Amino acid sequence: MLCGRCGEKNASIHVIEVGSGGPRSLHLCSSCAAEIGLMVGIDADKLEESLRALIGEEPPPEAEQPAFESCPDCGFSLSGEEGSPALFGCEKDFVLFRFPIQSLLHRRHGGKAHKGKRPASDGSAARKQQALRALEKRLEEAVRAENFELAAEIRDRIRELT
Amino acid sequence: MNAEPAALTGRKPDWFRPPQDGKALVATRVSLSRNLGGIIFPPRASEMTLANVETLLRHRLEELGDPPFDAYFPLTSADSLAAALLRERLLLPPHVLSGPSRGVAVSPGETVSAAVNLLDHLTLVVMEAGFRPDRVWERADEIDDRLAGAVEFAFDDEFGFLTVSPEDVGTGLHIEFVAHLPALVLTSQTDKVVRALSEIGFRLLPLAEGGAGHLFRVRSARTFGPDEGETIADVLETAPVVENYELAARDSLSSPAKRIVFEDRVARAVALLDNARLMSASEALDALSLVGLGASFGLAPTGAADLLFRLYFDLLPAHLRLSAGRETDDTERKRLRADMVRRAWNGLAGPRPEE
């Protein structure tokens, strides 16, 4: 089909214009469409952005290229040293190079995220247990040495802890 | 308490025993890689940081009380004889750094060990005889939990436990079993096993250099993605397959086509054990493995089945060098090894292939 405006080029844009006289079909080539301000070429990024907005999706992270070449804390860089495989140097590497590391791990292990256990974080409980065990040991020693005054003292402290 | 690795020679780790029912699975090993939160990892840490981490972790490990870490082996060089000995006993991670303030704490019988600053700040290892991944994992998990109560581990919601090597990030968990696979070696099927295992996320590694004694480690490789339960399930599924493969290969040795070749191999091993005056580690261990297998076919004395497991560590290069207690050259060590093997071999009574 030829362009309804210039009649020369192939029509590639098909619009339905709704005016006072009811809906009307327009068949235009891309240059005529641009001339009448219908269409200024498709900006793929803008299109993606509007599509994302439409389905309520967050835009992807700015760039997969990290802002740093190496970690300011430990000096780690993705290329490693002298061809040796990269060894991570501190926790920060995993923040600074999150996306490259993610794809590295995905390639190597096939997984997308950690699913396993988390550190048992109740440090206070562990420390309390430790203190208890130490006190119990001292209690035993005190009893063996027949130092009952000290033993009673230790027993009170154990009661406080439990 | 600091100790010299030479103190380990002459005794076997508790996890190293002949497989049950004369089958193939020897031991189970679980390792967990961990680092301390907010502290530079060992490859890039200063000497001061390393020293502080070592002091802190040694205290925390001691305070655990259970297991009692009764020996600490300081290790400054990855290439040293001490390192070679600890490596032969599976007390070191696969890759090890050199430098000050590094070492490994070991419990009696070597069932639990904790490598400090050797790659990660901490590598916790639990080993037991037999195939029991559930039980060994539970033990490691429980110690790991108690440690997490005493120190803060480097952890990220998405990445899991943060480690030095990309091979460990995630769970930091590798489960492996030690397997005796002489028939797979004899029938040249190990390459096939390596390929099949790598497709399901496992590696086949030799226990000693060159796979001497036909002993191997089958190790889970994937730490990022599968959780601990899935890794255990994979191991539970894989081990019987490997074992059955080995047992089928053993059965095939008595087929008419293979029987004479197998008998020949055993008879040659017997001749070597009877007569050799100098033996390399792989020569000695392969011969012991062969007569061990031969014993189950009535081709060698029944006691031969356990000989490999009785002598294994004593015959390894670093063990032999350290237990000699003096400078020895290569020939002298080969002689010591051949003497040791011949003494044990001659102590057995039973059928010989020629009889």
PDB file of all heavy atoms in Angstrom, chain A residues 141-160:
ATOM      1  N   GLU A 141      35.554 -27.692  90.570  1.00  0.00           N
ATOM      2  CA  GLU A 141      36.859 -27.571  91.228  1.00  0.00           C
ATOM      3  C   GLU A 141      36.708 -27.133  92.676  1.00  0.00           C
ATOM      4  O   GLU A 141      37.367 -27.659  93.572  1.00  0.00           O
ATOM      5  CB  GLU A 141      37.736 -26.558  90.468  1.00  0.00           C
ATOM      6  CG  GLU A 141      38.369 -27.163  89.232  1.00  0.00           C
ATOM      7  CD  GLU A 141      38.877 -26.095  88.272  1.00  0.00           C
ATOM      8  OE1 GLU A 141      38.992 -24.919  88.690  1.00  0.00           O
ATOM      9  OE2 GLU A 141      39.138 -26.451  87.113  1.00  0.00           O
ATOM     10  N   ALA A 142      35.813 -26.164  92.904  1.00  0.00           N
ATOM     11  CA  ALA A 142      35.611 -25.643  94.252  1.00  0.00           C
ATOM     12  C   ALA A 142      35.098 -26.750  95.180  1.00  0.00           C
ATOM     13  O   ALA A 142      35.542 -26.878  96.323  1.00  0.00           O
ATOM     14  CB  ALA A 142      34.625 -24.477  94.216  1.00  0.00           C
ATOM     15  N   VAL A 143      34.170 -27.549  94.645  1.00  0.00           N
ATOM     16  CA  VAL A 143      33.603 -28.631  95.461  1.00  0.00           C
ATOM     17  C   VAL A 143      34.689 -29.659  95.776  1.00  0.00           C
ATOM     18  O   VAL A 143      34.803 -30.120  96.919  1.00  0.00           O
ATOM     19  CB  VAL A 143      32.405 -29.301  94.739  1.00  0.00           C
ATOM     20  CG1 VAL A 143      31.966 -30.557  95.473  1.00  0.00           C
ATOM     21  CG2 VAL A 143      31.253 -28.323  94.626  1.00  0.00           C
ATOM     22  N   ARG A 144      35.485 -29.959  94.725  1.00  0.00           N
ATOM     23  CA  ARG A 144      36.545 -30.937  94.945  1.00  0.00           C
ATOM     24  C   ARG A 144      37.533 -30.435  96.000  1.00  0.00           C
ATOM     25  O   ARG A 144      38.032 -31.187  96.805  1.00  0.00           O
ATOM     26  CB  ARG A 144      37.269 -31.235  93.626  1.00  0.00           C
ATOM     27  CG  ARG A 144      37.871 -32.623  93.620  1.00  0.00           C
ATOM     28  CD  ARG A 144      38.508 -32.966  92.292  1.00  0.00           C
ATOM     29  NE  ARG A 144      37.621 -32.783  91.157  1.00  0.00           N
ATOM     30  CZ  ARG A 144      37.922 -32.046  90.078  1.00  0.00           C
ATOM     31  NH1 ARG A 144      39.073 -31.410  89.994  1.00  0.00           N
ATOM     32  NH2 ARG A 144      37.069 -31.955  89.085  1.00  0.00           N
ATOM     33  N   ALA A 145      37.781 -29.113  95.989  1.00  0.00           N
ATOM     34  CA  ALA A 145      38.732 -28.537  96.951  1.00  0.00           C
ATOM     35  C   ALA A 145      38.063 -28.256  98.297  1.00  0.00           C
ATOM     36  O   ALA A 145      38.667 -27.692  99.209  1.00  0.00           O
ATOM     37  CB  ALA A 145      39.321 -27.260  96.374  1.00  0.00           C
ATOM     38  N   GLU A 146      36.771 -28.648  98.415  1.00  0.00           N
ATOM     39  CA  GLU A 146      35.972 -28.439  99.632  1.00  0.00           C
ATOM     40  C   GLU A 146      35.897 -26.981 100.041  1.00  0.00           C
ATOM     41  O   GLU A 146      35.792 -26.642 101.213  1.00  0.00           O
ATOM     42  CB  GLU A 146      36.502 -29.329 100.771  1.00  0.00           C
ATOM     43  CG  GLU A 146      36.391 -30.811 100.401  1.00  0.00           C
ATOM     44  CD  GLU A 146      36.722 -31.727 101.586  1.00  0.00           C
ATOM     45  OE1 GLU A 146      36.893 -31.199 102.686  1.00  0.00           O
ATOM     46  OE2 GLU A 146      36.780 -32.948 101.374  1.00  0.00           O
ATOM     47  N   ASN A 147      35.979 -26.078  99.041  1.00  0.00           N
ATOM     48  CA  ASN A 147      35.815 -24.649  99.306  1.00  0.00           C
ATOM     49  C   ASN A 147      34.339 -24.307  99.101  1.00  0.00           C
ATOM     50  O   ASN A 147      33.930 -23.821  98.052  1.00  0.00           O
ATOM     51  CB  ASN A 147      36.725 -23.860  98.342  1.00  0.00           C
ATOM     52  CG  ASN A 147      36.721 -22.378  98.665  1.00  0.00           C
ATOM     53  OD1 ASN A 147      35.859 -21.893  99.419  1.00  0.00           O
ATOM     54  ND2 ASN A 147      37.669 -21.653  98.100  1.00  0.00           N
ATOM     55  N   PHE A 148      33.525 -24.601 100.149  1.00  0.00           N
ATOM     56  CA  PHE A 148      32.073 -24.526  99.962  1.00  0.00           C
ATOM     57  C   PHE A 148      31.563 -23.105  99.884  1.00  0.00           C
ATOM     58  O   PHE A 148      30.537 -22.840  99.271  1.00  0.00           O
ATOM     59  CB  PHE A 148      31.375 -25.322 101.068  1.00  0.00           C
ATOM     60  CG  PHE A 148      31.747 -26.778 101.016  1.00  0.00           C
ATOM     61  CD1 PHE A 148      32.508 -27.368 102.022  1.00  0.00           C
ATOM     62  CD2 PHE A 148      31.379 -27.561  99.916  1.00  0.00           C
ATOM     63  CE1 PHE A 148      32.868 -28.703 101.958  1.00  0.00           C
ATOM     64  CE2 PHE A 148      31.745 -28.898  99.851  1.00  0.00           C
ATOM     65  CZ  PHE A 148      32.497 -29.473 100.866  1.00  0.00           C
ATOM     66  N   GLU A 149      32.304 -22.178 100.491  1.00  0.00           N
ATOM     67  CA  GLU A 149      31.894 -20.777 100.423  1.00  0.00           C
ATOM     68  C   GLU A 149      31.940 -20.310  98.970  1.00  0.00           C
ATOM     69  O   GLU A 149      30.995 -19.742  98.451  1.00  0.00           O
ATOM     70  CB  GLU A 149      32.858 -19.944 101.277  1.00  0.00           C
ATOM     71  CG  GLU A 149      32.223 -18.676 101.806  1.00  0.00           C
ATOM     72  CD  GLU A 149      33.204 -17.940 102.720  1.00  0.00           C
ATOM     73  OE1 GLU A 149      34.003 -18.637 103.408  1.00  0.00           O
ATOM     74  OE2 GLU A 149      33.189 -16.718 102.695  1.00  0.00           O
ATOM     75  N   LEU A 150      33.082 -20.615  98.305  1.00  0.00           N
ATOM     76  CA  LEU A 150      33.257 -20.244  96.897  1.00  0.00           C
ATOM     77  C   LEU A 150      32.223 -20.976  96.031  1.00  0.00           C
ATOM     78  O   LEU A 150      31.621 -20.393  95.134  1.00  0.00           O
ATOM     79  CB  LEU A 150      34.676 -20.603  96.444  1.00  0.00           C
ATOM     80  CG  LEU A 150      34.995 -20.307  94.965  1.00  0.00           C
ATOM     81  CD1 LEU A 150      34.947 -18.803  94.692  1.00  0.00           C
ATOM     82  CD2 LEU A 150      36.367 -20.859  94.597  1.00  0.00           C
ATOM     83  N   ALA A 151      31.993 -22.248  96.347  1.00  0.00           N
ATOM     84  CA  ALA A 151      31.046 -23.046  95.563  1.00  0.00           C
ATOM     85  C   ALA A 151      29.652 -22.421  95.602  1.00  0.00           C
ATOM     86  O   ALA A 151      28.972 -22.321  94.571  1.00  0.00           O
ATOM     87  CB  ALA A 151      30.994 -24.474  96.101  1.00  0.00           C
ATOM     88  N   ALA A 152      29.253 -21.955  96.770  1.00  0.00           N
ATOM     89  CA  ALA A 152      27.930 -21.341  96.911  1.00  0.00           C
ATOM     90  C   ALA A 152      27.850 -20.070  96.075  1.00  0.00           C
ATOM     91  O   ALA A 152      26.836 -19.800  95.402  1.00  0.00           O
ATOM     92  CB  ALA A 152      27.661 -21.022  98.382  1.00  0.00           C
ATOM     93  N   GLU A 153      28.943 -19.336  96.082  1.00  0.00           N
ATOM     94  CA  GLU A 153      29.003 -18.098  95.303  1.00  0.00           C
ATOM     95  C   GLU A 153      28.836 -18.390  93.810  1.00  0.00           C
ATOM     96  O   GLU A 153      28.078 -17.716  93.113  1.00  0.00           O
ATOM     97  CB  GLU A 153      30.383 -17.468  95.547  1.00  0.00           C
ATOM     98  CG  GLU A 153      30.386 -15.944  95.581  1.00  0.00           C
ATOM     99  CD  GLU A 153      31.784 -15.461  95.970  1.00  0.00           C
ATOM    100  OE1 GLU A 153      32.119 -15.467  97.175  1.00  0.00           O
ATOM    101  OE2 GLU A 153      32.543 -15.126  95.039  1.00  0.00           O
ATOM    102  N   ILE A 154      29.565 -19.408  93.366  1.00  0.00           N
ATOM    103  CA  ILE A 154      29.504 -19.756  91.945  1.00  0.00           C
ATOM    104  C   ILE A 154      28.108 -20.247  91.582  1.00  0.00           C
ATOM    105  O   ILE A 154      27.562 -19.914  90.531  1.00  0.00           O
ATOM    106  CB  ILE A 154      30.564 -20.834  91.588  1.00  0.00           C
ATOM    107  CG1 ILE A 154      31.966 -20.269  91.801  1.00  0.00           C
ATOM    108  CG2 ILE A 154      30.407 -21.307  90.160  1.00  0.00           C
ATOM    109  CD1 ILE A 154      33.085 -21.298  91.696  1.00  0.00           C
ATOM    110  N   ARG A 155      27.510 -21.020  92.501  1.00  0.00           N
ATOM    111  CA  ARG A 155      26.168 -21.546  92.228  1.00  0.00           C
ATOM    112  C   ARG A 155      25.181 -20.393  92.054  1.00  0.00           C
ATOM    113  O   ARG A 155      24.335 -20.437  91.158  1.00  0.00           O
ATOM    114  CB  ARG A 155      25.726 -22.459  93.378  1.00  0.00           C
ATOM    115  CG  ARG A 155      24.460 -23.231  93.042  1.00  0.00           C
ATOM    116  CD  ARG A 155      24.224 -24.368  93.992  1.00  0.00           C
ATOM    117  NE  ARG A 155      25.280 -25.353  93.940  1.00  0.00           N
ATOM    118  CZ  ARG A 155      25.837 -25.938  95.023  1.00  0.00           C
ATOM    119  NH1 ARG A 155      25.446 -25.594  96.232  1.00  0.00           N
ATOM    120  NH2 ARG A 155      26.772 -26.837  94.880  1.00  0.00           N
ATOM    121  N   ASP A 156      25.335 -19.349  92.862  1.00  0.00           N
ATOM    122  CA  ASP A 156      24.453 -18.186  92.706  1.00  0.00           C
ATOM    123  C   ASP A 156      24.611 -17.556  91.332  1.00  0.00           C
ATOM    124  O   ASP A 156      23.636 -17.159  90.699  1.00  0.00           O
ATOM    125  CB  ASP A 156      24.777 -17.141  93.796  1.00  0.00           C
ATOM    126  CG  ASP A 156      24.269 -17.595  95.153  1.00  0.00           C
ATOM    127  OD1 ASP A 156      23.438 -18.538  95.169  1.00  0.00           O
ATOM    128  OD2 ASP A 156      24.706 -17.043  96.185  1.00  0.00           O
ATOM    129  N   ARG A 157      25.859 -17.466  90.899  1.00  0.00           N
ATOM    130  CA  ARG A 157      26.104 -16.831  89.596  1.00  0.00           C
ATOM    131  C   ARG A 157      25.552 -17.692  88.456  1.00  0.00           C
ATOM    132  O   ARG A 157      25.063 -17.160  87.455  1.00  0.00           O
ATOM    133  CB  ARG A 157      27.602 -16.566  89.407  1.00  0.00           C
ATOM    134  CG  ARG A 157      28.056 -15.416  90.286  1.00  0.00           C
ATOM    135  CD  ARG A 157      29.513 -15.092  90.110  1.00  0.00           C
ATOM    136  NE  ARG A 157      29.892 -14.816  88.733  1.00  0.00           N
ATOM    137  CZ  ARG A 157      31.146 -14.828  88.312  1.00  0.00           C
ATOM    138  NH1 ARG A 157      32.116 -15.118  89.155  1.00  0.00           N
ATOM    139  NH2 ARG A 157      31.423 -14.561  87.062  1.00  0.00           N
ATOM    140  N   ILE A 158      25.615 -18.987  88.629  1.00  0.00           N
ATOM    141  CA  ILE A 158      25.033 -19.868  87.605  1.00  0.00           C
ATOM    142  C   ILE A 158      23.523 -19.667  87.544  1.00  0.00           C
ATOM    143  O   ILE A 158      22.925 -19.584  86.482  1.00  0.00           O
ATOM    144  CB  ILE A 158      25.380 -21.352  87.889  1.00  0.00           C
ATOM    145  CG1 ILE A 158      26.867 -21.591  87.638  1.00  0.00           C
ATOM    146  CG2 ILE A 158      24.536 -22.289  87.041  1.00  0.00           C
ATOM    147  CD1 ILE A 158      27.348 -22.989  87.936  1.00  0.00           C
ATOM    148  N   ARG A 159      22.916 -19.536  88.746  1.00  0.00           N
ATOM    149  CA  ARG A 159      21.453 -19.330  88.788  1.00  0.00           C
ATOM    150  C   ARG A 159      21.080 -18.042  88.074  1.00  0.00           C
ATOM    151  O   ARG A 159      20.096 -17.979  87.354  1.00  0.00           O
ATOM    152  CB  ARG A 159      20.992 -19.259  90.257  1.00  0.00           C
ATOM    153  CG  ARG A 159      20.955 -20.640  90.868  1.00  0.00           C
ATOM    154  CD  ARG A 159      19.856 -20.775  91.919  1.00  0.00           C
ATOM    155  NE  ARG A 159      20.013 -22.062  92.576  1.00  0.00           N
ATOM    156  CZ  ARG A 159      20.567 -22.223  93.783  1.00  0.00           C
ATOM    157  NH1 ARG A 159      20.958 -21.179  94.476  1.00  0.00           N
ATOM    158  NH2 ARG A 159      20.696 -23.415  94.300  1.00  0.00           N
ATOM    159  N   GLU A 160      21.917 -16.994  88.275  1.00  0.00           N
ATOM    160  CA  GLU A 160      21.642 -15.721  87.607  1.00  0.00           C
ATOM    161  C   GLU A 160      21.631 -15.887  86.092  1.00  0.00           C
ATOM    162  O   GLU A 160      20.850 -15.258  85.390  1.00  0.00           O
ATOM    163  CB  GLU A 160      22.726 -14.683  87.974  1.00  0.00           C
ATOM    164  CG  GLU A 160      22.502 -14.005  89.305  1.00  0.00           C
ATOM    165  CD  GLU A 160      23.726 -13.199  89.722  1.00  0.00           C
ATOM    166  OE1 GLU A 160      24.387 -12.628  88.828  1.00  0.00           O
ATOM    167  OE2 GLU A 160      24.020 -13.161  90.928  1.00  0.00           O
TER     168      GLU A 160
END
